[in-house]
Amino acid sequence: MAPQISVPKTALAGLRQDLAGEVFVPGDPGYDEARVVHNAMIDRRPAVIAQCATQEDVSNAILFGRETELPVAVRGGGHSVAGTSVVADGLVVDLRRMPAVVADPEHMTVRVEGGATMSRLDHATQPFRLATTGGRASTTGVGGFTLGGGSGWLERKFGLASDNLLAAELITAEGKHVHTDAEENPELFWALHGGGGNFGVATSLTLRLHDLPELSIAMLFFMPEKAPEVVRAFRDLVGSAPDDVGGGVIYFPAPPAPFVPEHLVGELLCGTLLTYTGPVAGVRELSAPLFALGPVVEVVMDIAYTDLQCMLDDPPGLRNYWSAEYLSELPDAAVDVYCERALKIPPPTACQHVLFPLGGAVAAGRPDDPIPWRTAPWAVHPFATWTDPADDDRAIRWVRDVRADARPWSTGAVYLNFIGSEGEKRVVEGFGADNYRRLARVKAAYDPDNVFHFNHNIAPAA
């Protein structure tokens, strides 16, 4: 193990005194637990973890990092597949002690602190039968998800999470508090609609809420030999469906769930999920073309949004590698290639081969936001999870092969929350070249020294 960096004792003592939260360094009880992130491939040992409880804590932690010249990572939910929530021999500004969520049904808004997860957000809004677009896993951090764009089940109806961002409170690289909305610091506000955590630490976000009186799903599983026909039917169905309909296609080894017959557990299946912001009778009627193809598992029901959001939660401790390609079209040839690659998922990994429809409110969103992928009608999202390090190479290679397969139909743009560290070129593609240059100017205004660089980084303009 490499020697740990030495932090001046006087500076560390000052940080402990200044913080209402807690400070961990190597050797402290709780340090190893505090440094664990979602992706088990990431095993980094920070010099200091500052678990901040207030905005002032965040400011003090950033100033401490600059004084000690430690690289700085910011942790909300810890879901970054690249592990950007934790930095070796550096400072982690950990927001998990700031998880408050306050819904305001009168004004149809919700204020979310920087350490809140999707589960906290959804449980705060559901009693009022309100919701906003959230991630497809309940343990995702709201802050990183939203600032990166925010793709979720309700996006075709309510837009991306960033489309629903109304205001934000940030602590800058100089430790200063900044408020931003459409009228105050509007250029920064524009940058937060997809530009990620490059401009400061978001200590709170205010999001627009929408009425969600009913939600239903149709989840159907098919044997792989029927998959090409199933995927084409799903494509055609969604292409003519109202914006109330969302969902996706997923190949995966069937889990040991109550609704899965025992003889199918572990078998590779092709699943379709239709979500519908309406009653169950509506989703059943919409799904008729899929029912006609003979699913081996059928789950059709009304569902609480909180339950939908945690339906695909992975257990902790898995190794993860993901990527994505956004497609200009999904012709039959692309469907065939997609289905063929699913048959090559390397056992015994639990890789998921996902296909998401966009369109609706996603495509209708603000065209000048730094989200060039919003106009793509489809996204392929290879999502590899496994437990044994010996499977690393095979799982990663499979994800890269999926990307290569999709390249003939790729727009080149990509949702950066869906990928790990894939190089500067991919970062630029995630924003678009013109947007990147504009973002770089905003970066230069708020973080000219690139203190917040442990992310999908935007280099400050000269």
Side-chain angles (χ1 to χ4, degrees):
M1 183 181 299
Q4 199 78 27
I5 192 171
S6 177
V7 178
K9 291 183 179 180
T10 53
L12 186 60
L15 179 65
R16 291 188 191 275
Q17 183 175 354
D18 288 342
L19 255 61
E22 194 166 356
V23 176
F24 295 95
V25 298
D28 284 350
Y31 168 82
D32 283 323
E33 181 181 357
R35 69 185 181 87
V36 171
V37 292
H38 178 73
N39 186 357
M41 292 184 74
I42 309 302
D43 183 18
R44 300 184 183 131
R45 299 182 63 82
V48 182
I49 301 172
Q51 292 194 336
C52 301
T54 65
Q55 278 193 340
E56 291 74 19
D57 279 3
V58 175
S59 178
N60 288 331
I62 292 169
L63 294 175
F64 164 83
R66 300 206 68 172
E67 176 189 349
T68 55
E69 299 183 345
L70 292 174
V72 176
V74 181
R75 174 173 184 150
H79 256 254
S80 159
V81 70
T84 56
S85 306
V86 60
V87 55
D89 295 332
L91 167 68
V92 175
V93 179
D94 188 338
L95 305 179
R96 283 177 291 176
R97 291 175 183 251
M98 302 174 66
V101 178
V102 180
D104 181 351
E106 180 180 353
H107 295 97
M108 300 290 283
T109 62
V110 60
R111 183 180 182 275
V112 185
E113 283 194 323
T117 61
M118 209 58 62
S119 177
R120 282 183 175 269
L121 169 58
D122 297 335
H123 279 89
T125 60
Q126 183 159 295
F128 305 105
R129 305 180 85 180
L130 301 173
T132 194
T133 302
R136 298 177 178 90
S138 66
T139 53
T140 302
V142 178
F145 169 78
T146 302
L147 298 182
S151 170
W153 296 126
L154 299 179
E155 64 190 3
R156 281 172 47 86
K157 179 69 172 178
F158 300 143
L160 301 171
S162 61
D163 294 334
N164 293 287
L165 179 63
L166 299 175
E169 310 292 326
L170 263 68
I171 304 298
T172 70
E174 295 181 346
K176 296 180 179 179
H177 169 257
V178 172
H179 172 86
T180 180
D181 57 31
E183 296 181 355
E184 188 173 350
N185 300 306
E187 191 69 357
L188 173 61
F189 189 60
W190 168 82
L192 297 183
H193 286 70
N198 274 281
F199 313 100
V201 179
T203 54
S204 77
L205 305 176
T206 301
L207 303 171
R208 181 185 298 109
L209 293 176
H210 304 266
D211 287 314
L212 187 64
E214 293 183 279
L215 182 65
S216 56
I217 63 169
M219 185 168 59
L220 310 178
F221 294 167
F222 301 82
M223 299 307 293
E225 55 267 25
K226 289 195 173 182
E229 189 178 4
V230 169
V231 177
R232 291 187 184 103
F234 183 90
R235 175 198 63 193
D236 297 342
L237 187 165
V238 174
S240 60
D243 295 351
D244 300 89
V245 172
V249 176
I250 181 171
Y251 274 93
F252 66 136
F259 54 83
V260 177
E262 188 174 348
H263 71 280
L264 292 177
V265 172
E267 293 292 319
L268 182 68
L269 299 180
C270 175
T272 62
L273 172 67
L274 278 185
T275 64
Y276 180 60
T277 56
V280 69
V283 77
R284 184 177 289 278
E285 180 179 352
L286 286 161
S287 302
L290 297 171
F291 277 106
L293 298 176
V296 293
V297 175
E298 303 176 6
V299 180
V300 184
M301 62 181 182
D302 294 306
I303 191 170
Y305 184 50
T306 51
D307 294 336
L308 173 64
Q309 286 289 77
C310 65
M311 192 168 63
L312 295 182
D313 282 2
D314 287 320
L318 295 179
R319 303 173 78 79
N320 284 253
Y321 188 83
W322 327 325
S323 194
E325 289 291 338
Y326 281 71
L327 311 182
S328 58
E329 59 177 340
L330 188 67
D332 287 350
V335 170
D336 291 341
V337 170
Y338 167 80
C339 294
E340 288 168 9
R341 181 60 60 186
L343 301 179
K344 299 174 184 177
I345 289 176
T349 65
C351 295
Q352 301 168 22
H353 195 23
V354 188
L355 184 67
F356 289 128
L358 283 80
V362 178
R366 301 191 319 182
D368 69 327
D369 282 351
I371 304 176
W373 46 270
R374 73 153 75 240
T375 57
W378 292 93
V380 175
H381 180 33
F383 190 101
T385 60
W386 66 101
T387 56
D388 189 346
D391 291 323
D392 286 2
D393 290 344
R394 296 191 308 135
I396 292 170
R397 184 166 58 251
W398 177 78
V399 170
R400 291 172 176 169
D401 287 343
V402 173
R403 279 196 60 205
D405 287 347
R407 210 157 283 144
W409 301 280
S410 175
T411 66
V414 63
Y415 173 38
L416 295 174
N417 281 1
F418 270 178
I419 74 171
S421 299
E422 297 185 4
E424 182 181 359
K425 182 174 182 289
R426 283 280 269 176
V427 173
V428 175
E429 290 171 345
F431 301 123
D434 291 341
N435 288 328
Y436 184 88
R437 285 188 285 272
R438 183 176 170 187
L439 289 166
R441 293 192 291 271
V442 181
K443 176 76 168 180
Y446 289 92
D447 184 17
D449 297 323
N450 207 5
V451 171
F452 303 116
H453 65 272
F454 213 60
N455 47 33
H456 290 300
N457 192 234
I458 299 164

